[in-house]
Amino acid sequence: MLERILPSSWTLSTSALIEVLTVLGLAVAGALVVHWIGFAILKRLARQSQTPLDDVVVARVRRPMQFALIIFALSIAAENDALVGREWDVLTDFLTPAVLGWVAFAAVKGVALGFAEQVSNSADPVAERGRLTRIAVLSRTIRVAIMVITVSLILFNIPGVRDVGTTMLASAGLAALAVGAAAQPALKSLIAGLQMALTQPLRLGDLVKVDEQTGRVEEIRMSFVTVRTWDERVIVVPTSRFLDQSFENWSRINEKLTGPVFLHLDPDTEIAPIRTEFESYVRGHPLWDGRNLQLLMTEAYPESIELRLAMSANTIGDLFTLRCDVREHMLGWLRKEQPGALIRHRLEVEAANQRAKQGK
């Protein structure tokens, strides 16, 4: 079949070849003119719109639509030319699904980018992360489906592949079992990705703790999720892991959190001055959001006591900085005002010497 399109098999005269090339050239030129006029109008209409969605979509589909119009124009020219029509029919079976798939792929990506740009202007960061997650997962799913369908349509135009498909349909039961077993991990990842987009146990930008590691969700794919830690390491976690096992999401609703600072002090410590100094310092700190502020003695041991200094902030990053500042300030204040509150390991030298003498 393909040998018909090879130049060595052509039987055209020079005049006929010039005529064919002229017709095809005019078809391509006409397609380019139509493309230029059409997208000039679309760009003007997009600039008049208030939303950036149409601008992004027009920019994304511009190039694939150019090739689609060229192929469409060549198809029209080939249908009216008996010398080219038969050979063109062979190519169009492969080019048509490829170009249409390219246009659909670009359109979906453009719509996703346009919606993402609209969402990025939201005043609610939590809602923004949720919408971005849904857009990213669903658009990626649709693009994968477009690629699979496009490649399948192209391959089925090859006679050998078509015969394989016919054979598989003849033994549909066995084929279904084989395909189902082979595709089980991929289907599980696909379902997990869709479930992640719909239920949203975590979103792009969420701060999560998984496997004793804490970091921001950087990317959500069908098969895995990437989490970037504070030291710039990237943790790759299977998507199904977030659906099958528990994990901590520190920014599920918002980033307002209450965090503690623990002080382990001598049991003879005076608590009231420490509480006064702690509350005074935090109230004057610019990162405190005014919600929670409390000092409690949470444990009392024979040789030490534990104080929990709780405070709150608007974001997780602010809370971390506030806790570090409070920890540094309170230890400095204790060294200056209550040095006896800091635990030291003491050796009872006289008692130890007496026990040593009795042991001789």
Side-chain angles (χ1 to χ4, degrees):
M1 178 183 67
L2 296 179
E3 59 270 9
R4 293 187 302 168
I5 65 176
L6 296 177
S8 58
S9 63
W10 294 355
T11 59
L12 298 177
S13 63
T14 303
S15 60
L17 180 60
I18 294 175
E19 180 183 351
V20 170
L21 293 178
T22 301
V23 172
L24 296 181
L26 290 175
V28 172
L32 293 177
V33 171
V34 172
H35 176 269
W36 182 81
I37 295 175
F39 272 83
I41 297 174
L42 289 177
K43 286 183 179 179
R44 179 170 297 182
L45 294 176
R47 283 195 295 266
Q48 296 176 357
S49 175
Q50 300 295 328
T51 173
L53 175 62
D54 43 13
D55 298 272
V56 179
V57 174
V58 169
R60 283 286 173 176
V61 302
R62 181 178 178 274
R63 180 56 61 86
M65 280 299 299
Q66 186 180 48
F67 283 91
L69 288 175
I70 290 174
I71 292 175
F72 180 70
L74 290 176
S75 298
I76 295 177
E79 288 294 331
N80 297 324
D81 195 318
L83 297 176
V84 183
R86 291 174 299 175
E87 283 72 19
W88 179 255
D89 289 340
V90 178
L91 289 176
T92 193
D93 291 338
F94 295 92
L95 293 177
T96 300
V99 173
L100 292 179
W102 187 13
V103 172
F105 187 92
V108 171
K109 191 170 185 179
V111 171
L113 291 175
F115 278 127
E117 189 171 342
Q118 285 182 328
V119 169
S120 62
N121 299 324
S122 175
D124 186 354
V126 176
E128 175 184 338
R129 293 200 302 269
R131 296 190 185 101
L132 287 176
T133 302
R134 189 176 290 111
I135 292 170
V137 174
L138 293 180
S139 66
R140 190 175 290 117
T141 303
I142 296 174
R143 280 181 285 164
V144 170
I146 291 174
M147 292 176 61
V148 172
I149 294 173
T150 301
V151 173
S152 300
L153 291 176
I154 294 174
L155 292 178
F156 269 99
N157 288 310
I158 302 174
V161 176
R162 190 186 302 117
D163 294 339
V164 172
T166 304
T167 304
M168 290 180 62
L169 289 176
S171 55
L174 182 59
L177 291 177
V179 171
Q184 184 177 1
L187 291 176
K188 183 178 180 181
S189 298
L190 177 63
I191 295 173
L194 292 176
Q195 189 175 354
M196 185 79 71
L198 296 175
T199 61
Q200 292 191 351
L202 78 163
R203 295 151 299 192
L204 294 173
D206 277 357
L207 188 66
V208 298
K209 183 176 182 181
V210 56
D211 296 333
E212 301 302 322
Q213 300 287 337
T214 304
R216 292 276 182 183
V217 176
E218 192 174 64
E219 191 177 13
I220 300 177
R221 291 188 173 271
M222 290 299 173
S223 55
F224 64 88
V225 176
T226 60
V227 179
R228 185 172 293 275
T229 61
W230 67 272
D231 55 357
E232 299 185 357
R233 290 180 294 118
V234 176
I235 304 173
V236 181
V237 186
T239 303
S240 57
R241 162 74 169 77
F242 292 98
L243 301 174
D244 298 337
Q245 303 180 33
S246 61
F247 66 97
E248 295 182 21
N249 189 336
W250 293 0
S251 55
R252 180 67 179 84
I253 304 300
N254 54 54
E255 290 208 359
K256 294 183 178 181
L257 286 182
T258 297
V261 168
F262 292 97
L263 296 178
H264 297 273
L265 304 175
D266 192 275
D268 197 33
T269 301
E270 295 184 32
I271 306 301
I274 298 177
R275 179 180 287 109
T276 301
E277 178 61 24
F278 163 66
E279 294 178 352
S280 174
Y281 176 76
V282 174
R283 285 195 174 97
H285 200 287
L287 297 182
W288 183 57
D289 64 354
R291 291 188 300 116
N292 295 324
L293 180 63
Q294 191 177 42
L295 186 149
L296 296 173
M297 181 189 295
T298 52
E299 293 290 349
Y301 302 104
E303 296 183 354
S304 68
I305 59 173
E306 180 186 81
L307 302 184
R308 188 186 69 186
L309 289 63
M311 66 218 77
S312 60
N314 281 321
T315 67
I316 298 171
D318 290 347
L319 178 62
F320 179 80
T321 303
L322 177 60
R323 292 169 62 197
C324 293
D325 291 346
V326 168
R327 192 179 293 113
E328 180 179 352
H329 173 78
M330 293 306 300
L331 286 177
W333 183 87
L334 287 170
R335 282 192 296 266
K336 182 179 178 181
E337 302 295 334
Q338 292 193 41
L342 300 176
I343 298 176
R344 293 177 175 84
H345 295 287
R346 300 176 177 86
L347 297 177
E348 298 181 3
V349 179
E350 295 181 359
N353 291 338
Q354 184 66 28
R355 286 194 296 270
K357 292 179 180 179
Q358 293 176 356
K360 289 183 179 180

